[in-house]
Amino acid sequence: MKIHYECFACAANQCQKIVEMGTDDLGLRKRGVIEAAKFMARINEDSIPAVFGSEVFLGVYRVIGNDDPFRKYKELSNRLAEKIVSDLVEEEIDLKTALKLAIIGNVIDFAVGYSPERIEEDVKAMLGEELYVDHSDELFDRLGKAKTLLYLTDNCGEIYFDRLFIRKLKDAFPHIEVYVAAKDGPIINDATVKDLERAGFGEFARIISTGTRIVGVPLDRVSEEFKEVFERVDVIIAKGQGNFETLSFQFNDILKKEIR
């Protein structure tokens, strides 16, 4: 997915959140948004929103001297989501419900204006709804034939719903080797390798880093270790807008080359 006219305003709003959350110093806030403007001046029609935005955000981080402005909000999201999941574990949760919970987890995104305090209320409400698009049978059929799975995580908080889903996948398909990937370091409220380790993913899956802090999976910036896993696994489950933006763009290029 390439840049859309609305992406510029979205990135600018995000930068305002970053400086307000990252420092109380009004001078640093001003310098932070000026730095953001300089980065955004480099935008072009071929820019990928996730990559372009990440470069802007990291530039602001450096100026305000805060490498993880979303830290407190990520911790809150994780804490609230972990509590909800611990309550759900006591109930009879089947694989399909666990999948729905992993999808519901995508609403836990403070980076786009979501309030973590609403998690419990929203989860309960959405669990009673049907999926608008449901390809779960196709997914489970493919997993039944697969030997390896790569699960690309998205945000903090959400990862606790992912953890429950992956546990259920391992129960249903014990033969599958699961890799779970996260960012190499903090970027907005995306989950990092350290977040996965704290959440206990290592108990049932192999945790790997994408090798970059850039949002999504830009294959020209990921580590060789990640790329090796990405290219050889049988099934990939990718969560979140950033993964869609980077992967859809790259897969389209691959398809064009194959057609030629």
Side-chain angles (χ1 to χ4, degrees):
M1 172 182 168
K2 295 185 179 179
I3 209 83
H4 190 260
Y5 78 91
E6 294 175 322
C7 295
F8 186 88
C10 180
N13 289 334
Q14 191 72 275
C15 289
Q16 182 176 340
K17 290 181 186 176
I18 289 170
V19 297
E20 291 175 348
M21 294 167 62
T23 180
D24 293 327
D25 186 316
L26 296 181
L28 282 179
R29 288 181 179 181
K30 182 191 294 186
R31 290 198 289 275
V33 296
I34 290 173
E35 182 72 7
K38 292 177 181 177
F39 271 94
M40 286 191 279
R42 305 174 188 174
I43 193 172
N44 62 66
E45 292 185 5
D46 292 326
S47 296
I48 302 170
V51 176
F52 153 73
S54 297
E55 292 173 338
V56 173
F57 305 152
L58 290 171
V60 177
Y61 286 12
R62 288 190 291 272
V63 169
I64 66 173
N66 187 332
D67 202 45
D68 192 6
F70 282 79
R71 180 179 57 82
K72 291 182 180 179
Y73 291 96
K74 292 189 294 184
E75 290 172 354
L76 176 59
S77 294
N78 281 338
R79 199 160 57 244
L80 293 173
E82 184 176 18
K83 180 183 181 302
I84 294 170
V85 171
S86 64
D87 293 339
L88 290 170
V89 166
E90 298 177 4
E91 304 176 15
E92 288 293 329
I93 300 295
D94 60 18
L95 180 59
K96 182 69 173 288
T97 302
L99 169 61
K100 186 186 289 188
L101 282 166
I103 294 170
I104 291 171
N106 272 287
V107 305
I108 306 169
D109 192 351
F110 184 85
V112 293
Y114 184 82
S115 175
E117 290 83 356
R118 289 169 36 199
I119 292 176
E120 186 170 4
E121 176 185 350
D122 286 348
V123 167
K124 289 180 178 178
M126 286 185 280
L127 266 180
E129 300 177 10
E130 294 298 320
L131 296 174
Y132 289 114
V133 178
D134 187 353
H135 294 155
S136 56
D137 289 340
E138 179 182 353
L139 172 63
F140 297 150
D141 179 65
R142 292 193 180 191
L143 289 171
K145 301 171 184 175
K147 294 181 180 180
T148 50
L149 165 67
L150 172 60
Y151 197 101
L152 304 177
T153 58
D154 186 20
N155 301 320
C156 286
E158 180 180 348
I159 59 175
Y160 285 87
F161 297 93
D162 296 329
R163 185 182 70 178
L164 177 61
F165 177 45
I166 295 172
R167 281 188 180 276
K168 290 295 179 179
L169 283 179
K170 288 289 290 184
D171 289 342
F173 310 104
H175 62 283
I176 291 184
E177 181 180 12
V178 179
Y179 296 84
V180 184
K183 302 297 177 295
D184 197 50
I187 181 72
I188 49 178
N189 65 332
D190 281 25
T192 66
V193 166
K194 289 183 179 179
D195 292 314
L196 297 188
E197 290 171 348
R198 293 190 193 103
F201 278 79
E203 297 173 12
F204 50 86
R206 180 177 171 185
I207 299 171
I208 61 172
S209 168
T210 59
T212 179
R213 294 173 68 175
I214 300 296
V215 171
V217 182
L219 293 179
D220 60 338
R221 305 196 186 201
V222 299
S223 67
E224 288 302 316
E225 177 192 17
F226 176 84
K227 189 178 292 187
E228 186 275 327
V229 173
F230 182 89
E231 291 176 347
R232 72 173 168 81
V233 293
D234 300 317
V235 175
I236 298 173
I237 295 177
K239 302 283 298 293
Q241 181 70 15
N243 284 324
F244 170 75
E245 289 175 6
T246 51
L247 292 176
S248 61
F249 168 75
Q250 290 160 138
F251 286 151
N252 283 339
D253 278 357
I254 292 172
L255 287 174
K256 287 178 183 177
K257 289 179 182 178
E258 289 181 349
I259 290 172
R260 289 172 187 169

